[in-house]
Amino acid sequence: MDNMMPRLPRYYYKILAVVFIMSLFAFKFYSIHYHINNLDKTTILPGKVDAYQFTHTFIHSAYYYPSSKSLGDNAVALVTTMNKRTVWKITDYKINLIGTNRSTSLTRQASVTTEHRLFERCDYLLIMAQSNLLDNMDKLEIEAEGVVVEVPIKKPIYIAPKPVVFCVSPQFAAEQWQTFLVQVHVSKKYGAHLHLYIVSMVESYFNLIREYEKLELVSIEPWLTIKFPVTDGPYLEPNRNVELRNQAAAHTDCLLMYKESASFVGILDMDDILIPFNANSYYEEFEREYAGDWLISALHYDKYDYKTIKIADLNSQSLSAIVKNAERLNTKDTGKSFLRPERFNSTWSHWSRAAEKQPIYFDEKGQKLEKPLFRKLKTIGTNGMFHLKNMNLRSLEDLKESMENGEIPLNPTDNATRIISETDLADIDEDMRRTLSLPQISQFATYLPREEFYMPIIFNCYNQSFYHIRDMNQMRPDILCVNAYSCDLPQREDIPCVHSDANYHSGPAMWPITYHFATESYFSRDIGCYQ
């Protein structure tokens, strides 16, 4: 009994229990507080970023450059649509790439960049991954925690059809073929080749473009709907949660395709018409505006909105009728950029945000700078884009007087000069008549759409989705993901369409990202006019 410890009062045990519980809460609070304060770092181990959820990524293309003016030797560039919520800050994430040639393999981490602002509402973004691997690489793989998926390699174009290439945004449910004729013939006149991405298009319009492709005036490429064929569980649908079918990914793909061969690349929509000012060609104007300044990232042209007419009859097409019946609207749209491809590695639909955030440590002669510099857009003050915002159907008979007596609109930047000369207008009209009279093209006169069906539906859907918000200056990118994938597009048996398709593939389940891609893309007549 003498060596027994004295019994403590009961309330002591209660106090000890309370202290113990409070200590647990304090420890938990400290852990959470520490974690939150360090979320922006996201590093839990050297070189490893803390992932928060299992996600899926679609790889649009993976380019390999044995040598690149701006990416370096043995460069690899992947264009993807990726869920930014995979990690706290997606641009901190690294992708393990494995390059293999006949004798060896090399593993390196690829850094990722995006053209989108991370606070924006869209969950899926254009993400470009870039690294440099090894000579004569013939196999590319992505690795994560020992799991590997092989990715098909896409070859860039090393001989551009022309020094200037225009990358045209993906077309869907496209039926307004008159706009294409304006774009392709104006581009031909001033020396640009069109690279056109197509999601879906009225079949007769598609066949018309095919004939222009044979004339080497345009290149056509399917732009694929994002699909994750095999998944282990539910996931956020990508097409509804990415900005406008990820146009930025299409423009980036086009930029990377012509990166080593074109002198200038333009990023634009089909209805964005650029006519050089005081120059005989695009090349001449772009060279003049760059003026040898190595700190210009791109030339930026404002878009001036016009309403004008269009004619339903193929054989009666006339640029003069469209230009001389054009009326300037009081609105302007976000402009587009034209650039030297070595100065951009990726691009948004209007300009490259990433290019302007990239510090430059050496001058054009290779000398190290005391302080890093940054490239900036040059907004062109003497010219703007002739944006064919509204085109209303009219008969040729109604237009004879305006074609004979109408005036060419004034350049909106000076309200003194004309947007195009009478001589150039006549040259383009003559070239258009000559081309449309070719038997392989004139045959479409009875098949091309003579009335609107999809255009009003798409316009109304876009207006309800975001145009009216933008026009009232109430667009909040942190609240609204600009996307119209939910637009209801009814199908008509008498308006057959082609739609992009491919063989879709899913890689093995990987943490935190499973990768999906497509091969052997083509155009199908069995899907319809959908996005």
Side-chain angles (χ1 to χ4, degrees):
M1 296 291 293
D2 293 337
N3 57 8
M4 290 181 63
M5 293 182 64
R7 178 174 298 183
L8 295 173
R10 288 185 179 180
Y11 65 85
Y12 275 39
Y13 293 105
K14 294 181 180 180
I15 293 173
L16 288 173
V18 170
V19 170
F20 178 76
I21 292 171
M22 289 180 67
S23 299
L24 286 178
F25 275 113
F27 178 78
K28 185 67 176 177
F29 175 81
Y30 173 81
S31 300
I32 295 172
H33 179 73
Y34 179 84
H35 181 63
I36 290 173
N37 284 340
N38 287 273
L39 277 177
D40 58 327
K41 300 174 185 176
T42 67
T43 302
I44 56 175
L45 289 173
K48 188 174 182 181
V49 174
D50 190 9
Y52 292 105
Q53 62 174 319
F54 178 85
T55 63
H56 298 270
T57 288
F58 187 79
I59 300 173
H60 298 277
S61 52
Y63 286 94
Y64 169 63
Y65 305 84
S67 178
S68 169
K69 295 188 290 288
S70 57
L71 295 172
D73 293 339
N74 304 310
V76 174
L78 277 71
V79 182
T80 77
T81 295
M82 184 178 290
N83 190 328
K84 70 179 180 184
R85 305 191 193 282
T86 304
V87 298
W88 179 255
K89 186 178 180 184
I90 194 65
T91 50
D92 287 341
Y93 188 69
K94 305 290 183 184
I95 299 175
N96 292 329
L97 297 181
I98 304 174
T100 304
N101 59 21
R102 291 187 177 183
S103 59
T104 188
S105 294
L106 177 66
T107 301
R108 279 190 176 162
Q109 286 192 328
S111 57
V112 304
T113 58
T114 183
E115 289 291 338
H116 300 279
R117 297 166 295 186
L118 296 184
F119 69 83
E120 292 178 354
R121 180 64 189 87
C122 295
D123 293 280
Y124 287 91
L125 309 177
L126 156 68
I127 295 290
M128 178 183 161
Q130 198 274 316
S131 189
N132 298 77
L133 294 172
L134 73 178
D135 293 335
N136 303 312
M137 189 183 78
D138 54 19
K139 185 178 180 181
L140 176 64
E141 296 168 298
I142 298 175
E143 183 273 337
E145 298 186 349
V147 183
V148 175
V149 58
E150 183 176 355
V151 177
I153 298 171
K154 188 173 181 179
K155 295 181 179 179
I157 292 174
Y158 285 100
I159 301 177
K162 292 180 181 178
V164 179
V165 174
F166 287 170
C167 300
V168 181
S169 302
Q171 306 292 295
F172 75 97
E175 65 180 0
Q176 190 165 274
W177 49 271
Q178 295 91 339
T179 309
F180 166 74
L181 291 180
V182 174
Q183 183 65 263
V184 71
H185 284 280
V186 171
S187 297
K188 177 186 176 183
K189 167 67 178 176
Y190 299 114
H193 180 81
L194 298 184
H195 191 92
L196 176 60
Y197 292 89
I198 298 175
V199 178
S200 61
M201 180 173 282
V202 171
E203 186 175 12
S204 56
Y205 179 13
F206 175 79
N207 291 334
L208 172 68
I209 294 180
R210 278 288 200 203
E211 294 302 324
Y212 273 85
E213 184 180 38
K214 294 174 185 176
L215 297 175
E216 300 182 346
L217 297 176
V218 60
S219 298
I220 305 173
E221 185 159 353
W223 187 245
L224 299 173
T225 303
I226 301 167
K227 295 180 182 179
F228 304 146
V230 179
T231 60
D232 291 338
Y235 59 88
L236 185 67
E237 207 288 320
N239 298 286
R240 298 180 189 277
N241 294 282
V242 68
E243 184 183 76
L244 292 176
R245 304 169 303 287
N246 209 343
Q247 289 185 11
H251 289 141
T252 296
D253 177 80
C254 186
L255 166 65
L256 293 173
M257 188 183 307
Y258 292 98
K259 189 169 187 53
E260 305 303 318
S261 55
S263 298
F264 297 99
V265 169
I267 306 300
L268 70 164
D269 298 328
M270 186 72 87
D271 55 5
D272 297 334
I273 310 301
L274 182 63
I275 300 168
F277 176 73
N278 283 343
N280 294 316
S281 68
Y282 296 124
Y283 188 93
E284 181 183 340
E285 173 156 330
F286 298 158
E287 283 284 2
R288 181 190 71 212
E289 295 298 339
Y290 266 102
D293 189 339
W294 64 287
L295 287 177
I296 296 174
S297 64
L299 307 176
H300 189 72
Y301 290 76
D302 288 332
K303 285 172 59 170
Y304 295 89
D305 295 338
Y306 289 83
K307 68 175 182 180
T308 185
I309 58 89
K310 60 184 176 183
I311 303 169
D313 178 37
L314 177 65
N315 297 318
S316 302
Q317 295 305 300
S318 164
L319 182 62
S320 292
I322 291 171
V323 169
K324 292 184 177 182
N325 282 277
E327 181 181 337
R328 171 86 189 280
L329 301 174
N330 336 339
T331 56
K332 277 172 48 174
D333 209 338
T334 307
K336 298 290 185 176
S337 295
F338 301 80
L339 55 116
R340 296 189 186 278
E342 64 271 18
R343 299 190 183 183
F344 278 23
N345 292 329
S346 61
T347 183
W348 183 43
S349 300
H350 302 279
W351 60 80
S352 174
R353 292 183 175 120
E356 301 204 352
K357 295 178 182 177
Q358 187 68 34
I360 300 170
Y361 296 98
F362 298 89
D363 65 18
E364 69 270 37
K365 296 179 181 178
Q367 300 297 315
K368 187 172 177 60
L369 299 167
E370 291 185 6
K371 294 182 179 179
L373 299 175
F374 294 86
R375 289 194 170 108
K376 294 293 183 184
L377 281 177
K378 177 182 178 179
T379 300
I380 305 303
T382 57
N383 199 3
M385 305 194 77
F386 181 54
H387 180 210
L388 302 175
K389 185 171 184 177
N390 298 325
M391 299 185 76
N392 302 311
L393 277 169
R394 297 281 296 278
S395 69
L396 187 62
E397 291 298 320
D398 295 337
L399 302 173
K400 284 186 176 179
E401 182 177 348
S402 61
M403 290 171 62
E404 293 172 0
N405 304 317
E407 292 188 348
I408 298 172
L410 295 175
N411 182 332
T413 64
D414 63 14
N415 289 316
T417 57
R418 303 292 175 183
I419 63 170
I420 189 172
S421 69
E422 288 279 8
T423 302
D424 283 2
L425 198 56
D427 288 345
I428 296 171
D429 273 342
E430 177 56 33
D431 177 61
M432 189 181 292
R433 279 192 292 269
R434 186 169 55 250
T435 306
L436 296 180
S437 67
L438 295 173
Q440 65 269 33
I441 293 179
S442 63
Q443 64 172 319
F444 296 114
T446 56
Y447 302 111
L448 288 167
R450 302 179 71 88
E451 59 183 18
E452 297 176 338
F453 178 67
Y454 287 111
M455 280 288 293
I457 295 173
I458 294 170
F459 180 82
N460 289 335
C461 179
Y462 270 45
N463 190 55
Q464 292 173 11
S465 299
F466 51 84
Y467 276 166
H468 73 289
I469 301 174
R470 181 199 63 184
D471 293 343
M472 292 188 296
N473 293 319
Q474 294 182 353
M475 183 75 83
R476 289 280 305 275
D478 58 327
I479 294 176
L480 176 68
C481 180
V482 179
N483 182 289
Y485 193 74
S486 297
C487 291
D488 183 21
L489 297 176
Q491 305 299 297
R492 283 176 48 173
E493 290 186 6
D494 60 328
I495 308 179
C497 292
V498 297
H499 196 292
S500 62
D501 204 357
N503 294 326
Y504 286 86
H505 309 273
S506 294
M510 301 167 74
W511 173 259
I513 299 172
T514 294
Y515 295 91
H516 310 262
F517 56 90
T519 59
E520 301 171 334
S521 58
Y522 60 96
F523 290 104
S524 170
R525 288 170 171 79
D526 301 324
I527 299 174
C529 266
Y530 296 100
Q531 291 193 61

